[in-house]
Amino acid sequence: MTVLILGLLLFLGAHSVRIVADGWRGRTLARLGEGGWKGAYSVVSLLGFALIIWGFGLARQQPMLVWSPPTAMRHLNALFTLVAFILVAAAYVPRNQLKARLHHPMVLGVKLWAFGHLLATGTLADMVLFGAFLLWAVLDFRAARLRDRAQGTAYPPGTVSGTVVAVVAGAVAWAVFAFWLHAAWIGVAPLGRTF
């Protein structure tokens, strides 16, 4: 569990700089330059991510059950995760209505993903992992919306074609992950079977 927590602190800590120290981030970015900042940010994030994977794998070897979720929660999680994948796709597809309306669809996707997984899983490691990501997403979304208001950020209107591309791309990515990659990478078939 210690490795998992350390990984979460590094990964989510790096991703929380704009939440807790946006002024420091701006000064450091100016001092290091964009390349230096992105390099340091990437190294810390990758190290944290690697520790999360390793720590979660270690914690799964001796799971501590906190609660036994009903089977219906797995189905609800599948729905939440589908919507989460669509929201993440919307963060990258230009001129879609989801981004125009929600402004930060990726963070909302992380919220749904983490919340759904909290409902569908029951070990202490699951609670720590998904609870940390849910807390981070709530705080990050709030901070991003406050920054948008303070800076008067305007998002371009979305188009139907951009929205369709975001929805289709997210749904296809979800299906590939849910039916194949989740079992291959994580060792759990979330829908009970793989292609």
Side-chain angles (χ1 to χ4, degrees), residues 50-136:
L51 289 173
I52 289 170
I53 293 169
W54 182 32
F56 192 67
L58 290 173
R60 286 177 62 195
Q61 291 175 12
Q62 296 179 327
M64 295 177 57
L65 191 64
V66 176
W67 78 301
S68 295
T71 304
M73 293 297 107
R74 281 198 357 228
H75 302 296
L76 188 57
N77 182 38
L79 175 62
F80 283 169
T81 306
L82 169 61
V83 176
F85 267 81
I86 291 169
L87 290 172
V88 170
Y92 293 101
V93 174
R95 299 187 65 84
N96 68 80
Q97 293 167 333
L98 294 169
K99 186 167 187 175
R101 180 173 295 262
L102 302 173
H103 303 178
H104 301 280
M106 176 177 282
V107 180
L108 291 174
V110 172
K111 270 189 197 182
L112 272 178
W113 166 81
F115 182 65
H117 279 73
L118 277 173
L119 293 178
T121 58
T123 70
L124 181 60
D126 296 323
M127 301 291 159
V128 170
L129 176 67
F130 302 118
F133 270 94
L134 179 59
L135 177 61
W136 171 82

Side-chain angles (χ1 to χ4, degrees), residues 9-19 41 45-46 136 140:
L9 288 172
L10 286 173
F11 184 82
L12 294 177
H15 286 78
S16 298
V17 173
R18 294 203 79 182
I19 299 171
Y41 180 87
S45 295
L46 287 171
W136 171 82
D140 191 62

